[in-house]
């Protein structure tokens, strides 16, 4: 038998399966998805089996054998192997990168496996195996080494496997890697001891050994062969470890190492919750979802529900429906929202069936949770991005909460978008996908509403839009006021707080209520804006804010490369109040302290939340009202639900509006809507104050009115006019090298070759032409981050529409071109559907 193996070598040249012979003794065990050790270039390297077949097209004599099998059960399942292959094509990454993204990092060590005879089962099976094997098993159980067994009894592998399946034999695995599995020492009383009269056992102890007697009695009274960690025994009976050990020495107890699964939520008690009676809107939405769940047909719903409309309850009841069919569910939330409160809502409903996977767990903890999924103990996985790869076998439902979040796109290779991977995986399983958000991404909105505007299911379509427009219990959405900061300036108020916001803060302090202040600042770029007339410098070709480059004193467009000198007076009104924008949270904090002596502020930004659990602790402090103000970057906008927050203030809404990013307006609208949703979620009514230099901008006007629909229509017009997603798709190829002239030459050559290839395929047509298949190649230009780690960076942006295999086109160009440039060490990085272009 031949196994096709993807070997873990990070090089594009070796990114293809290699054939290996499966040695006879491993034939029963090696499966698609198995992790194996194979000889490769004089070493033994790790690899994944992606296919098994009878014969190889290569000369059998030249093939090498698989050296070892690393796990008893394959860590990857066939559907994940298929998904990895799809990912490596779509996102232009290596197979190894895609496969490695799917397994926990701790799974790098080697497993040790032991076979034991299950004494609870009948003995009839013993006649089915050879006498030597039976003898060997009986001799070595419960610590019979599996690897040895495979080698010694290769002819009986099939029978052994069957016995394991039938539970006659048990297979236990340990990861050698210390970090991976925690072991505890435990004891049990063997059956032959426990069957004797207690007095007979007592005779074996010294009369004075009272503590030993106590332990003996305790263990004697346990159910048959019940294993108990030694620490539990010593705690329970207040005795020393040596007391227990003494009984072990007398063979009255047997000591073993127990593999302990660390439950990071152990010791936390989760209050069980019952399904709530759904509101009318929730009920309508749930019924639609239930239809596709019951049919087990792949379907994607976009659930657009205003903040506080009760999306989570819809998720919970959908999961419940899915579990009733014996299928599993994955819930994805942005890393930052994966708080204990969030986890509690799911554990409260589904208890221990929930496995949690997030980056704040240790490697070992994450591995344990992963294993609970792999061996079927867990039915619901909740986690950030990578939980999409949870190794479930019968996936019924995938939920992506806050689906518009850019963190669903992985920025390192494999640069996948979780949403697309989810839809793909759901298709393979006949699973339902729910994308939930108060402010869906335009891509999802267009995809869902175009295929199904009324939200009614139709057989031929694969997606539908569902909406919930009201908050639960008819609670009002908060009143939003927009303050024109230009007028503040005219009234001689140069503070970063408008008079209105100042007053509102004062009022909250007096009443003992809490406020959230958002400093809307993201990314690294600074843009230029006039504080008198709000003129912002834009690229004449791209309608994107120009970025200020301090060193060279120019402003530049990151998409097309257009540049001009930085002006000293406003080109529109000749005012000198033209500024580079970017305010820091520390500055705001200082200003607060000055204006409101004694004010208690919790600052939440990258600086204060870098430590483990820091984010969580800051929120807890705020929740217990140890502070008056929570001040922070977009972190404060997410998922907070605090009853005493009655004021939300946005210091400068424009900061994200003019970033050199075609999604700037969309991101601003999303952020403002999310943060406004934090106010007045409970009995106290909420108020929101947004400060802006461009209060008339549609992103601000529509967020003030909580009007997603109008925002989308306006934004779509812009996107259509300028040719941006969702009217086309994007791909970016970034090239880097330490010599600028060479990089420039190579990147121009690349773009030329790419154009030629596209032309050859008849797709090099401007998007505006209206052809169903069209492609434009922009650039090459210097990347927004023009130099990184001493390498210069150039990029070209591809805009395309229609069924164009963009990955094949790029790879095709690289393929003919790479040969020439390998020795020159040009690095290429490809980003399909980029979220940020750097
Ligand atoms: N059917 C219901 N009956 C009563 N209360 C409900 C119901 N559904 C949800 N709730 C409550 O309403 C509140 C808001 O719900 P939830 O947090 O799920 O909203 P959401 O749509 O996820 O909001 P956000 O987008 O702001 O996170 C919660 O406290 C929840 O327990
Ligand atoms: Zn001006
Ligand atoms: Zn431009």
């Amino acid at each position: 038998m031949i196994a096709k193996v993807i070997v873990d070598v990070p090089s594009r040249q070796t990114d293809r399966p290699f054939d290996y012979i499966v040695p006879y003794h491993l034939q029963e065990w090696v499966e698609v998805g198995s992790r194996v050790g194979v000889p490769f270039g004089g070493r033994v390297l790790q690899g994944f089996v992606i296919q098994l077949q009878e014969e190889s097209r290569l000369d059998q004599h030249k093939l090498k054998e698989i050296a070892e099998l690393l796990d008893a059960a394959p860590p990857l399942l066939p559907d994940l192997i298929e998904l990895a292959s799809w990912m490596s094509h779509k996102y232009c990454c290596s197979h190894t990168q895609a496969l490695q993204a799917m397994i926990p990092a701790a799974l790098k060590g080697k497993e040790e496996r032991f076979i034991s005879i299950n004494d609870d089962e009948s003995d009839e099976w013993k006649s089915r195996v050879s006498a030597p094997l039976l003898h060997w098993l009986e001799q070595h159980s419960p610590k019979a080494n599996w690897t040895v067994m495979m080698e010694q009894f290769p002819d009986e592998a099939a029978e052994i496997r069957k016995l394991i399946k039938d539970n006659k034999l048990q297979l236990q695995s340990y990861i050698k890697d210390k970090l991976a599995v925690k072991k505890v020492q435990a004891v049990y009383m063997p059956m032959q001891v426990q069957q004797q009269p207690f007095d007979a056992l007592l005779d074996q102890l010294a009369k004075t050994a009272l503590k030993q007697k106590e332990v003996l009695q305790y263990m004697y009274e346990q159910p048959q062969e019940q294993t108990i960690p030694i620490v539990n025994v010593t705690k329970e009976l207040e005795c020393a470890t040596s007391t227990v050990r003494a009984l072990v020495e007398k063979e009255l107890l047997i000591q073993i190492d127990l593999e302990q699964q660390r439950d990071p939520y152990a010791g936390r008690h989760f209050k069980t919750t019952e399904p709530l009676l759904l509101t009318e809107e929730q009920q309508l939405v749930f019924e639609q979802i239930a239809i596709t769940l019951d049919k087990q047909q792949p379907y994607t719903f976009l659930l657009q529900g205003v903040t506080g409309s009760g999306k989570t309850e819809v998720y919970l009841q959908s999961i419940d429906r899915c579990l009733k069919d014996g299928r599993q569910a994955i819930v994805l939330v942005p890393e930052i929202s994966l708080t204990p409160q969030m986890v509690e809502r799911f554990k409260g409903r589904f208890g221990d069936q929930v496995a949690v996977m997030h980056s704040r767990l240790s490697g070992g903890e994450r591995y344990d949770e992963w294993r609970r999924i792999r061996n079927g103990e867990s039915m619901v996985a909740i986690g950030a991005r990578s939980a999409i790869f949870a190794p479930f076998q019968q996936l019924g439902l995938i939920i992506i909460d806050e689906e518009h979040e850019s963190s669903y796109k992985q920025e390192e290779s494999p640069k996948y978008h979780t949403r697309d991977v989810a839809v793909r995986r759901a298709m393979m399983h006949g699973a339902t996908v729910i994308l939930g958000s108060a402010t869906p991404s335009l891509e999802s909105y267009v995809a869902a509403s175009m295929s199904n505007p009324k939200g009614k299911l139709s057989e031929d379509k694969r997606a539908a839009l569902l909406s919930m427009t009201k908050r639960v219990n008819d609670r009002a959405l908060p009143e939003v006021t927009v303050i024109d900061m230009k007028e503040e300036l005219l009234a001689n108020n140069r503070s970063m707080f408008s008079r209105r916001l100042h007053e509102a803060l004062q009022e909250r302090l007096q009443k003992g209520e809490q406020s959230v202040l958002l400093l809307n600042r993201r990314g690294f770029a600074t843009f230029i804006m006039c504080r008198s007339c709000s003129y912002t410098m834009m690229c004449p070709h791209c309608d994107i804010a120009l970025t200020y480059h301090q060193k060279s004193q120019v402003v530049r467009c990151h998409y097309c490369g257009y540049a001009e000198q930085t002006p000293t007076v406003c080109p529109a009104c000749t005012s000198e109040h033209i500024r580079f924008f970017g305010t820091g949270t520390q500055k705001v904090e200082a200003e607060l302290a000055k204006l409101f002596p004694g004010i208690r502020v919790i600052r939440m930004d990258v600086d204060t939340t870098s430590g483990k659990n820091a984010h969580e602790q800051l929120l807890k402090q705020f929740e217990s009202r140890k502070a008056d103000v929570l001040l922070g970057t977009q972190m404060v906008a997410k998922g907070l639900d605090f009853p005493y927050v009655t004021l939300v203030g946005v210091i400068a809404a424009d900061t994200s509006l003019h970033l050199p990013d075609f999604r700037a307006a969309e991101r601003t609208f999303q952020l403002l809507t999310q943060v406004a949703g934090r106010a007045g979620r409970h009995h106290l009514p909420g108020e929101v104050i947004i400060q802006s230099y461009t209060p008339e901008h549609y992103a601000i006007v529509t967020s003030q009115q909580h009007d997603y629909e109008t925002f989308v229509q306006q934004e779509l017009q812009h996107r259509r006019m300028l040719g941006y997603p969702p009217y086309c798709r994007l791909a970016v190829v970034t090239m880097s090298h330490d010599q600028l002239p060479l990089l420039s030459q190579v990147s121009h050559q690349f773009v030329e070759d790419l154009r030629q290839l596209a032309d050859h395929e008849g797709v090099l047509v401007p998007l505006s032409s209206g052809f169903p298949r069209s492609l434009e190649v922009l650039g090459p230009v210097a990347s927004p981050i023009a130099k990184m780690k001493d390498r210069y960076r150039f990029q070209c942006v591809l805009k395309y529409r229609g069924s164009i295999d963009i990955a094949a086109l790029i790879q095709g160009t690289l393929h003919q071109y790479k040969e020439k440039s390998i020795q020159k060490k040009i690095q290429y990085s490809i980003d399909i559907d980029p979220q940020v272009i750097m």
Side-chain angles (χ1 to χ4, degrees):
M1 191 163 55
I2 303 296
K4 291 203 168 289
V5 178
I6 295 284
V7 186
D8 190 7
V9 201
S11 144
R12 280 185 207 260
Q13 284 79 51
T14 51
D15 188 37
R16 60 176 179 85
F18 290 87
D19 286 7
Y20 286 92
I21 296 171
V22 183
Y24 183 60
H25 73 276
L26 287 181
Q27 293 200 348
E28 246 334 288
W29 303 91
V30 171
E31 293 176 54
V32 170
S34 289
R35 205 163 53 108
V36 292
V38 290
F40 192 91
R43 290 179 298 165
V44 173
L45 295 181
Q46 183 184 298
F48 287 98
V49 175
I50 61 157
Q51 208 183 319
L52 288 169
Q53 56 194 44
E54 284 311 310
E55 276 164 39
S56 172
R57 266 189 267 154
L58 305 170
D59 185 356
Q60 286 270 5
H61 300 289
K62 293 212 178 114
L63 295 183
K64 295 190 181 123
E65 286 194 347
I66 287 177
E68 55 182 343
L69 177 61
L70 296 173
D71 327 87
L76 289 174
L77 302 164
D79 83 298
L80 289 173
I81 299 275
E82 201 185 318
L83 193 65
S85 146
W86 172 82
M87 274 171 65
S88 84
H89 180 82
K90 175 166 167 101
Y91 297 109
C92 299
C93 66
S94 69
H95 284 84
T96 296
Q97 283 172 332
L99 291 166
Q100 293 291 355
M102 296 179 169
I103 57 168
L107 200 66
K108 290 269 159 72
K110 191 177 152 184
E111 271 191 351
E112 259 185 293
R113 284 138 304 192
F114 299 107
I115 286 275
S116 60
I117 295 173
N118 190 351
D119 290 322
D120 296 343
E121 298 280 320
S122 63
D123 279 355
E124 51 71 35
W125 64 270
K126 291 185 176 167
S127 60
R128 302 209 310 256
V129 298
S130 71
L133 173 58
L134 184 61
H135 179 71
W136 185 86
L137 279 172
E138 285 178 337
Q139 204 178 2
H140 295 91
S141 178
K143 284 247 159 179
N145 185 303
W146 179 73
T147 313
V148 174
M149 179 187 68
M150 282 198 305
E151 277 162 17
Q152 284 188 9
F153 305 97
D155 293 334
E156 289 175 85
E159 192 60 51
I160 295 170
R161 256 202 112 163
K162 195 162 171 302
L163 291 171
I164 293 172
K165 264 204 193 104
D166 296 348
N167 207 23
K168 310 289 182 204
L169 295 180
Q170 275 173 344
L171 186 64
Q172 268 208 312
S173 8
Y174 305 90
I175 288 266
K176 265 187 188 157
D177 179 355
K178 281 267 162 22
L179 155 139
V181 174
K182 214 175 181 176
K183 284 182 198 165
V184 286
Q185 296 179 327
V187 285
Y188 69 91
M189 185 174 275
M191 223 175 1
Q192 56 282 25
V193 175
Q194 213 166 7
Q195 279 162 354
Q196 294 173 38
F198 187 66
D199 287 344
L201 299 179
L202 263 190
D203 288 346
Q204 300 182 38
L205 302 184
K207 290 252 158 8
T208 51
L210 293 178
K211 274 287 168 195
Q212 286 185 30
K213 184 183 152 195
E214 232 178 282
V215 175
L216 187 75
Q217 182 157 13
Y218 177 76
M219 292 303 294
Y220 189 78
E221 284 161 6
Q222 297 298 326
Q224 202 179 46
E225 296 206 341
Q226 171 82 39
T227 31
I228 299 176
I230 293 180
V231 282
N232 293 17
V233 179
T234 54
K235 248 196 219 140
E236 184 81 16
L237 304 177
E238 294 176 3
C239 65
T241 310
S242 57
T243 316
V244 182
R245 292 259 157 76
L247 295 176
V248 172
E249 262 157 46
K250 295 197 169 72
E251 296 186 351
L252 290 167
L253 298 180
I254 291 181
Q255 182 180 332
I256 53 163
D257 283 347
L258 263 194
E259 190 177 311
Q260 194 194 37
Q261 297 198 347
R262 284 142 297 197
D263 178 356
Y265 294 91
R268 292 202 199 195
H269 184 69
F270 293 100
K271 219 167 62 206
T272 342
T273 61
E274 293 297 325
L276 300 172
L277 185 68
L278 295 180
T279 65
E280 210 171 300
E281 278 189 328
Q282 283 173 323
Q283 182 65 28
L284 282 174
V285 162
F286 173 69
E287 277 166 14
Q288 301 286 307
I289 295 168
I291 293 173
T292 70
L293 278 174
D294 292 350
K295 280 194 184 159
Q296 310 209 346
Q297 274 173 0
Y299 212 91
T300 303
F301 289 104
L302 176 62
L303 172 54
Q304 194 233 323
V306 298
T307 53
S309 59
K311 293 184 286 292
T312 313
E313 187 61 30
V314 173
Y315 301 156
L316 290 168
Q317 301 206 11
S318 303
I319 294 170
D320 194 47
R321 186 77 158 227
C322 164
L323 295 182
K324 288 210 166 98
D325 280 336
R327 298 202 296 166
Q328 299 104 14
I330 295 175
V331 183
L332 303 174
V333 295
E335 186 77 51
I336 195 90
S337 317
L338 198 50
T339 56
Q341 294 93 306
M342 184 70 172
V343 169
E344 188 175 342
R345 294 178 81 169
F346 289 85
K347 287 231 172 196
R349 194 68 59 89
F350 305 110
D352 290 341
Q353 290 185 85
V354 178
V356 184
M357 304 170 94
H358 65 79
S359 65
R360 284 191 299 271
L361 299 182
S362 73
E365 286 169 337
R366 247 185 292 176
Y367 171 60
D368 289 344
E369 291 292 274
W370 180 87
R371 250 178 348 158
R372 294 206 310 127
I373 296 168
R374 181 66 185 85
N375 44 19
E377 282 169 51
S378 159
M379 296 291 282
V380 181
I382 168 165
R385 198 166 57 213
S386 66
I388 190 59
F389 303 118
F392 285 128
Q393 313 219 21
Q394 279 169 306
L395 196 51
L397 178 63
I398 302 172
I399 293 164
I400 304 188
D401 191 30
E402 311 285 355
E403 71 90 31
H404 61 276
E405 275 293 307
S406 56
S407 63
Y408 283 121
K409 176 81 196 298
Q410 171 148 305
E411 296 298 342
E412 320 89 68
S413 203
K415 298 180 182 173
Y416 64 88
H417 200 301
T418 315
R419 202 164 48 206
D420 297 326
V421 175
V423 170
R424 179 80 192 183
R425 201 167 176 212
M427 214 143 79
M428 295 157 78
H429 284 262
T432 298
V433 178
I434 306 175
L435 307 174
S437 174
T439 52
S441 65
L442 261 68
E443 283 92 334
S444 299
Y445 182 81
V446 166
S449 61
M450 290 221 301
S451 68
N452 225 330
K454 294 255 158 57
K456 284 275 171 285
L457 299 183
S458 65
E459 288 297 325
D460 53 328
K461 293 289 179 1
R462 285 275 165 84
L465 176 66
L466 304 171
S467 336
M468 300 199 295
T469 56
K470 293 199 268 299
R471 277 187 162 179
V472 173
N473 295 336
D474 289 318
R475 242 165 240 139
L477 285 161
E479 187 77 31
V480 181
T481 312
V482 177
I483 304 292
D484 186 343
M485 291 303 275
K486 293 190 303 266
E487 282 175 17
E488 295 294 311
L489 204 62
L490 283 177
N492 243 333
N493 176 16
R494 285 169 190 278
S495 150
M496 59 178 85
F497 298 103
S498 60
R499 291 158 294 174
R500 178 73 191 268
L501 182 55
H502 188 280
E503 247 167 59
L505 278 166
Q506 189 77 58
E507 206 181 300
R508 295 311 178 295
L509 286 173
Q510 272 156 10
K511 285 202 229 157
E513 293 172 3
Q514 293 179 299
S515 310
V516 169
L517 284 181
L518 171 78
L519 185 66
N520 185 7
R521 184 199 155 104
R522 53 195 300 274
F524 52 89
T526 35
F527 65 97
I528 291 197
M529 193 170 77
C530 172
R531 282 181 52 151
S532 303
C533 76
S534 77
Y535 169 84
T536 311
M537 293 197 72
M538 309 293 277
C539 170
H541 306 294
C542 306
D543 196 21
I544 274 181
L546 294 171
T547 303
Y548 169 60
H549 293 257
Q550 195 188 7
K551 254 210 186 121
S552 52
Q553 288 294 316
V554 295
V555 283
R556 189 185 298 278
C557 168
H558 284 164
Y559 285 93
C560 71
Y562 171 85
E564 60 178 272
Q565 279 299 314
T566 305
T568 48
V569 293
C570 172
C573 75
T574 69
S575 151
E576 282 173 10
H577 290 297
I578 186 150
R579 292 277 185 90
F580 324 117
F581 262 69
T583 338
T585 39
Q586 274 162 327
K587 227 166 112 188
V588 183
E589 192 181 20
E591 177 104 357
L592 278 172
K594 210 170 74 193
L595 294 174
F596 307 99
I599 193 170
R600 298 168 305 163
V601 179
I602 290 179
R603 181 161 63 88
M604 207 158 83
D605 54 26
V606 269
D607 296 332
T608 63
T609 55
S610 54
K612 193 179 165 164
N613 297 333
H615 175 243
E616 199 182 311
Q617 268 153 20
L618 291 178
L619 286 182
K620 218 180 239 148
Q621 280 177 29
F622 188 62
E623 185 175 19
S624 57
R625 301 175 75 190
K626 295 211 173 81
D628 311 301
V629 173
L630 178 66
L631 160 70
T633 51
Q634 62 266 37
M635 287 177 198
V636 301
K638 308 280 151 60
L640 311 183
D641 193 358
F642 300 137
Y644 291 95
V645 173
T646 58
L647 173 67
V648 167
V650 179
I651 307 278
D654 315 84
T655 337
S656 66
L657 206 48
H658 306 295
L659 286 178
D661 174 355
F662 69 89
R663 289 193 182 88
E666 181 180 354
R667 298 246 188 271
T668 303
F669 176 81
Q670 285 163 347
L671 189 62
L672 294 179
T673 308
Q674 292 289 340
V675 75
R678 301 308 116 212
R681 291 169 71 90
H682 296 262
H683 53 284
L684 297 169
E687 179 187 9
V688 180
I689 296 174
I690 295 177
Q691 305 189 149
S692 168
Y693 289 94
T694 47
E696 65 288 347
H697 192 287
Y698 63 95
I700 293 176
V701 175
T702 51
S703 71
Q704 178 184 15
Q705 288 152 1
H706 308 284
D707 188 356
Y708 176 76
E709 189 63 35
T710 306
F711 168 74
V712 167
Q713 294 315 328
Q714 300 234 19
E715 179 67 8
L716 283 177
Q717 270 177 23
H718 277 81
R719 300 279 180 95
R720 187 201 295 272
M721 229 155 59
L722 297 162
Y724 277 117
Y727 289 104
C728 68
R729 309 187 67 167
L730 295 179
V732 178
V733 181
T734 305
M735 289 154 267
S736 69
H737 195 274
D738 57 6
Q739 288 165 35
L740 197 52
L742 183 80
L743 178 64
S744 166
Q745 181 207 329
V746 173
S747 57
H748 278 91
Q749 181 71 49
F750 171 80
V751 167
E752 200 170 298
D753 290 346
L754 184 66
R755 286 210 173 100
Q756 227 168 56
L757 194 60
D759 197 26
H760 188 73
E761 295 191 1
V763 295
L764 192 67
V765 187
L767 295 181
S768 56
S769 67
F771 276 109
R773 295 172 80 231
S774 47
L775 169 80
E776 283 174 21
V777 186
L778 307 179
V781 293
S783 304
I785 302 179
K787 193 174 175 186
M788 204 188 263
K789 290 179 189 157
D790 289 327
R791 297 178 73 94
Y792 294 96
R793 305 167 81 239
F794 268 54
Q795 69 182 21
C796 83
V797 175
L798 285 78
K799 289 183 171 183
Y800 64 105
R801 192 167 48 209
S803 59
I804 293 174
D805 188 343
I806 202 74
L809 202 60
I810 295 171
Q811 298 279 36
T813 311
L814 276 183
H815 188 71
Q816 45 164 302
Y817 195 59
K818 229 166 27 187
E819 327 279 274
K820 294 181 238 165
S821 58
I822 280 168
Q823 67 273 39
K824 294 177 191 157
K825 295 211 179 82
I826 296 267
Q827 277 176 10
Y828 298 89
S829 133
I830 300 157
D831 195 350
I832 308 291
D833 302 333
Q835 285 295 304
V836 282
I837 300 178
M838 300 201 292

